[in-house]
Amino acid sequence: MAGPEIERLIQLLARLPGLGPRSARRAALHLLKKKDALLNPLAATLRDVGESVHACSVCGNLDTHDPCAICSDPRRDAGLLCVVESVADLWALERAGVFRGRYHVLGGTLSALDGVGPADLNVDSLISRAQAGGLREVIIATNATVEGQTTAHYITDRLAPSGVQITRLAHGVPVGGELDYLDDGTLGAALKARRPL
Ligand code: ZN
């Protein structure tokens, strides 16, 4: 239908999360229609970002600087480390503005099904950071999925010899949530994680 260049554009767009072949076709047409306003600036930005953004060698965050802005910010608590699965999770915590420590991005979760083992994740660098000293607490903020919890247990075992305090995010009733709407697993976790008032 379209020329090979346009087909290639559509194929690449279709590989983006949330875009199937149909929406990729629409996006490609939209880009081509808005060449000056969208296509060209986007192409330039993609090139810039591709060249200047790298994973932080300390925490795995994405930034133009290495160490990243969070790792090199002296106002952030260097004794508090939050372990997350992905940069998306780091961004979520940053958006919430509730955490003033530093991060460690694992780059995924352990998954026997997908063949992801400890060597595929940034676990060794986490252990090295804990062994280097200066950490008071490691907060494990992996997702409340089977893989996330398996990964949390594995990390806890690996961190144990370092003697650093290990905590994890609470599971339970969401803020503004109603008990009647919660699934059994969430309700069970909330009951288990109850605390004195
Ligand atoms: Zn960093």
Side-chain angles (χ1 to χ4, degrees):
M1 247 188 318
E5 294 84 2
I6 297 177
E7 275 303 329
R8 171 134 181 86
L9 173 64
I10 294 167
Q11 277 172 17
L12 287 171
L13 287 171
R15 285 163 64 176
L16 292 171
L19 284 194
R22 220 183 140 86
S23 37
R25 209 163 279 280
R26 279 176 57 193
L29 272 176
H30 186 75
L31 285 167
L32 290 165
K33 256 190 248 166
K34 310 239 173 202
K35 218 171 166 181
D36 291 333
L38 198 55
L39 179 63
N40 291 335
L42 180 66
T45 304
L46 287 174
R47 184 168 297 277
D48 284 352
V49 168
E51 280 168 7
S52 61
V53 175
H54 301 281
C56 171
S57 58
V58 179
C59 75
N61 185 22
L62 293 171
D63 201 355
T64 49
H65 300 282
D66 187 14
C68 72
I70 294 176
C71 283
S72 47
D73 185 347
R75 291 165 303 175
R76 299 192 73 119
D77 187 345
L80 203 55
L81 194 68
C82 183
V83 179
V84 290
E85 288 179 20
S86 68
V87 174
D89 298 335
L90 185 159
W91 286 352
L93 280 157
E94 284 300 290
R95 269 201 311 275
V98 287
F99 180 66
R100 295 301 297 164
R102 291 182 180 166
Y103 293 96
H104 194 87
V105 181
L106 292 172
T109 46
L110 296 175
S111 169
L113 211 64
D114 298 321
V116 183
D120 301 308
L121 305 176
N122 298 324
V123 177
D124 287 346
S125 52
L126 172 64
I127 308 305
S128 306
R129 286 179 86 176
Q131 281 168 345
L135 284 184
R136 292 192 316 281
E137 180 181 349
V138 172
I139 304 163
I140 301 183
T142 52
N143 290 322
T145 57
V146 173
E147 291 85 4
Q149 296 312 297
T150 307
T151 310
H153 283 128
Y154 175 78
I155 292 171
T156 306
D157 286 348
R158 289 282 308 270
L159 282 171
S162 71
V164 63
Q165 189 193 2
I166 305 165
T167 56
R168 60 157 215 190
L169 292 189
H171 300 156
V173 183
V175 174
E178 295 176 33
L179 298 194
D180 195 20
Y181 289 96
L182 295 186
D183 63 276
D184 299 350
T186 306
L187 212 45
L191 194 62
K192 227 168 152 183
R194 68 187 183 279
R195 55 178 192 191
L197 281 171

